[in-house]
Amino acid sequence: MDGESRINLITEGLGWPNGLAVDRTQRRIYWADAQMKTIESCSLSGTFRARLAENLPHPYALAVTTHHIYWTDWITKALHTVPKVGPAAHPIRNVTHGLEGLMDVKVVQEDDGRQLENVCGPTNGGCSHLCLRNPTGYSCKCPTGLTMRDGSTTDCKTLPDEFLLIALRSGIGRISLDTPDLFDVVLPIDGVHGAVVLDYHYDSMQLYYADVNVDAIRRVNMQNYSDTQVVVASGLNTPNGIAVDWLADNLYWTDTALKKIEVARLDGSCRKAVLTDGLDDPHSIILYPKRGFLFWADWGATPKIERAYMDGSGRRNIIDFELGFPTGLAIDFDTKKLYWADAVQDRIELCDFDGRRRTQVVAHATHPFGFTLTGTHLFWTDWYNKSVLRAPKDSVTSVEVARFSLRGALEVRSVSGSRQPHDWNPCRRDNGGCSHLCLFAETRYACACPDVPDPTGRSCHLEPTFVVPMKPNDEMLSASDERPIKSNGSTVLSSSKMHAQLVIIATAILAGLLIVVIIAILVLIVNSKRKQTKKCSRSASDVLTFTNPNYNGMVDSLCTGTDVASISRNTIWKRLKYDRAQERVFEEKYLGVQHASGGIGGGCSNSSGGGGGSYMESSGKPSSLMAPGSAALPV
């Protein structure tokens, strides 16, 4: 019962086995099979298999007592029974019938006075979570996604070392990355109505999520899910992005309807708007506290990704072209890259913190919304197919479904200590000496006051009580290295520059080809006018003439000057012509007389000056001609 020593009992002659039941008295297993239309049994080791009933309409669930077998049937909509001993010799009896949606059946009876020992005893076998019986006693097991503490066989961890948190609208899901099965569990958190975005504070193990149904931001203790509180309860209208500054212990969020970005302490106090101008439709938000960077996505008329310092200063566009709905912003701390998913372009991209070196990472990521990453993998949600997908960072084409059937899966966050490293930040030391808010901006930090006076009456000061000396940051770019970002997207990754250069080269080539074509047309026109003075009116390069072999005798005579007076009958000839202008081949038919002095098409020329392509009488008067009849043929 602890899942160990797994073996196969029956592998052949099965269709849809269901309704397993154990007869402890006879030590046998019973099952129904709707596809095989049978009820069968075998010993606990899989031997001595026997068929007890057959040709049943659709048996589903099954239960056994000391003397009888009971089963439900989907087609008869009834509960049936037959004796266990010699069932073939007894008719099947209906216990009840007319039951719509009949499914399972169980028998409740006394156990003949036998008392089974609880091997786990009153102390649960000393197990912190699950005590499961096995043939020799019991073993301690952990709930889904959890593992034993190091060096212990009885004590499970309360949380995985690394896991995913998923906003499921009506709940919060968790997928452990400590175990290979990647099973999901819905956390037992009450009052979740519309969770669309979330983040966490790893050191305190606090989960933060925004609920768009009630326009509130809540905090949950991940070591005690009943410990919840509302940290922002008013002044919200569609919070669509949330991010935790784990070094300064601040909380940032975007408000799509109010078109602003705000910050507060982790408990919701000291609330202040840091950006209010020029925001159209702000959504996803992510922080890089080591350098004091704040990134967010805007889904407005011109979708873009922007960056500012955490105090709202130094604002700039970093990506503002070829975007649909950028979402799921995430940062790779090892490579210093910003990732995002695009719910319209159906792809995942990355760039430097200044927007350069933009690169497509996953070119075909259908319906992405949330995105996150670990040290080895990329993870994203598919809001349409209700799933979480993943791909190795070193082989992004190897995409696989990590978990499916996650209704309402939107935002996803990777939780681990490495995702919130203990980097240096002046605000981490006693809040930078600030009375309320300490906001870092790469080379400096600023003390800020809340928009609404502190309800406790505590005075706010823009000058710190002590100054935290700044330290050199090995990631800070020199002024010559970091180029200004232009709103037209001219400062992008090298592949975009190469694309622009290729467009210029292709345009030049097309222009050159156009000039060559014009010159060639002019030359053809001049040559055509010159050839009009010749005796054959059509050039072989313009009309391809194929004489019908059935009439070669007449044609040869005409072209070679042979005396045709001996020919005493009118002659029909025809030729296939290729009309280049209309890109088709057609057939021409002519009726000629027995005396002629002319050429046929381009096959020969008339030395006496007769018109090409017709028969002329020797007197020089035109003969009676049939008008050409043409029939289109496939080219």
Side-chain angles (χ1 to χ4, degrees), residues 317-389:
N317 291 348
I318 61 171
I319 300 291
D320 58 4
F321 67 102
E322 294 184 5
L323 290 175
F325 286 162
T327 185
L329 300 186
I331 291 175
D332 188 331
F333 303 120
D334 296 329
T335 61
K336 309 301 183 291
K337 300 292 184 182
L338 174 69
Y339 283 78
W340 70 91
D342 197 311
V344 172
Q345 303 287 351
D346 284 347
R347 63 193 183 200
I348 295 170
E349 301 183 75
L350 64 79
C351 69
D352 290 343
F353 290 160
D354 59 4
R356 290 184 294 171
R357 287 179 278 274
R358 179 177 178 180
T359 305
Q360 284 192 23
V361 181
V362 181
H364 302 288
T366 57
H367 318 113
F369 190 87
F371 175 86
T372 192
L373 66 158
T374 65
T376 58
H377 284 80
L378 310 178
F379 291 86
W380 64 95
T381 59
D382 184 325
W383 60 266
Y384 182 80
N385 292 310
K386 306 176 181 62
S387 57
V388 173
L389 296 94

Side-chain angles (χ1 to χ4, degrees), residues 2 28 57 59 68 119 128 152 180 205 221 231 245 301 328 341 347 357 375 398 442 460 523 532 534 545 592 597 612:
D2 60 2
R28 295 184 66 83
H68 288 83
V119 294
S128 64
S152 176
M205 278 299 162
N221 184 348
V231 295
D245 178 356
R347 63 193 183 200
R357 287 179 278 274
S398 303
E442 191 170 32
C460 181
V523 171
Q532 286 180 357
K534 295 183 179 181
T545 303
S597 58

Side-chain angles (χ1 to χ4, degrees), residues 15-34:
W16 302 329
N18 197 39
L20 291 177
V22 176
D23 186 342
R24 290 183 305 179
T25 303
Q26 297 184 356
R27 302 181 64 83
R28 295 184 66 83
I29 301 172
Y30 290 76
W31 71 90
D33 194 316

Side-chain angles (χ1 to χ4, degrees), residues 252-575:
Y252 288 76
W253 67 90
T254 62
D255 195 307
T256 298
L258 299 181
K259 302 182 187 301
K260 61 182 178 180
I261 297 176
E262 296 187 76
V263 63
R265 299 294 286 167
L266 290 179
D267 60 2
S269 64
C270 308
R271 180 175 172 181
K272 178 180 179 61
V274 293
L275 286 165
T276 57
D277 297 331
L279 295 175
D280 195 357
D281 194 0
H283 275 72
S284 180
I285 184 173
I286 199 70
L287 305 175
Y288 190 33
K290 182 177 181 179
R291 293 183 61 184
F293 284 165
L294 160 65
F295 300 90
W296 73 95
D298 195 305
W299 292 6
T302 302
K304 55 193 172 183
I305 298 174
E306 297 188 67
R307 190 193 83 189
Y309 290 126
M310 291 172 131
D311 62 353
S313 65
R315 179 178 175 180
R316 63 196 302 180
N317 291 348
I318 61 171
I319 300 291
D320 58 4
F321 67 102
E322 294 184 5
L323 290 175
F325 286 162
T327 185
L329 300 186
I331 291 175
D332 188 331
F333 303 120
D334 296 329
T335 61
K336 309 301 183 291
K337 300 292 184 182
L338 174 69
Y339 283 78
W340 70 91
D342 197 311
V344 172
Q345 303 287 351
D346 284 347
R347 63 193 183 200
I348 295 170
E349 301 183 75
L350 64 79
C351 69
D352 290 343
F353 290 160
D354 59 4
R356 290 184 294 171
R357 287 179 278 274
R358 179 177 178 180
T359 305
Q360 284 192 23
V361 181
V362 181
H364 302 288
T366 57
H367 318 113
F369 190 87
F371 175 86
T372 192
L373 66 158
T374 65
T376 58
H377 284 80
L378 310 178
F379 291 86
W380 64 95
T381 59
D382 184 325
W383 60 266
Y384 182 80
N385 292 310
K386 306 176 181 62
S387 57
V388 173
L389 296 94
R390 74 170 182 172
K393 291 172 68 174
D394 58 357
S395 179
V396 293
T397 57
S398 303
V399 178
E400 63 177 340
V401 177
R403 204 73 202 129
F404 54 89
S405 298
L406 298 174
R407 185 173 182 178
L410 295 173
E411 184 67 281
V412 60
R413 281 281 196 270
S414 169
V415 181
S416 70
S418 63
R419 293 299 301 157
Q420 291 189 350
H422 292 164
D423 296 319
W424 183 86
N425 181 309
C427 296
R428 191 181 178 198
R429 178 183 168 187
D430 296 326
N431 200 38
C434 299
S435 61
H436 288 71
L437 291 169
C438 180
L439 308 177
F440 186 40
E442 191 170 32
T443 60
R444 58 179 175 80
Y445 71 94
C447 296
C449 294
D451 293 335
V452 177
D454 193 330
T456 64
R458 183 164 53 106
S459 299
C460 181
H461 303 282
L462 296 179
E463 295 296 329
T465 57
F466 61 92
V467 177
V468 178
M470 300 300 295
K471 291 184 178 181
N473 192 324
D474 56 355
E475 294 182 15
M476 290 173 55
L477 299 177
S478 65
S480 60
D481 186 31
E482 187 168 331
R483 303 174 186 175
I485 306 300
K486 299 179 181 179
S487 61
N488 61 3
S490 61
T491 305
V492 295
L493 68 165
S494 57
S495 61
S496 296
K497 292 181 179 178
M498 184 179 296
H499 175 73
Q501 293 174 356
L502 290 176
V503 170
I504 294 174
I505 295 173
T507 303
I509 293 174
L510 289 175
L513 291 175
L514 182 60
I515 294 173
V516 172
V517 170
I518 293 174
I519 295 174
I521 292 174
L522 293 175
V523 171
L524 289 175
I525 292 174
V526 172
N527 289 339
S528 176
K529 289 183 178 180
R530 290 178 179 177
K531 290 181 180 180
Q532 286 180 357
T533 60
K534 295 183 179 181
K535 295 178 182 180
C536 290
S537 62
R538 294 182 183 266
S539 169
S541 63
D542 293 328
V543 178
L544 303 179
T545 303
F546 308 93
T547 305
N548 191 315
N550 292 330
Y551 308 103
N552 276 345
M554 181 63 178
V555 174
D556 291 342
S557 298
L558 292 172
C559 290
T560 58
T562 304
D563 184 12
V564 294
S566 60
I567 302 176
S568 61
R569 66 184 183 276
N570 292 338
T571 303
I572 298 176
W573 65 273
K574 55 185 176 180
R575 62 183 179 181

Side-chain angles (χ1 to χ4, degrees), residues 104-181:
D104 204 0
V105 59
K106 286 289 185 287
V107 173
V108 179
Q109 62 181 359
E110 293 184 2
D111 203 12
D112 299 331
R114 293 189 300 172
Q115 296 294 326
L116 298 178
E117 178 190 3
N118 179 8
V119 294
C120 293
T123 61
N124 196 40
C127 303
S128 64
H129 288 76
L130 296 173
C131 179
L132 304 179
R133 188 164 187 155
N134 59 40
T136 60
Y138 67 90
S139 60
C140 297
K141 295 293 181 180
C142 297
T144 300
L146 298 183
T147 57
M148 291 289 179
R149 297 187 186 277
D150 294 340
S152 176
T153 59
T154 61
D155 191 12
C156 299
K157 298 175 182 177
T158 56
L159 283 173
D161 292 332
E162 189 173 18
F163 56 96
L164 302 179
L165 286 174
I166 310 169
L168 302 172
R169 274 204 170 268
S170 60
I172 306 291
R174 186 186 71 199
I175 296 178
S176 172
L177 302 180
D178 291 356
T179 55
D181 48 42

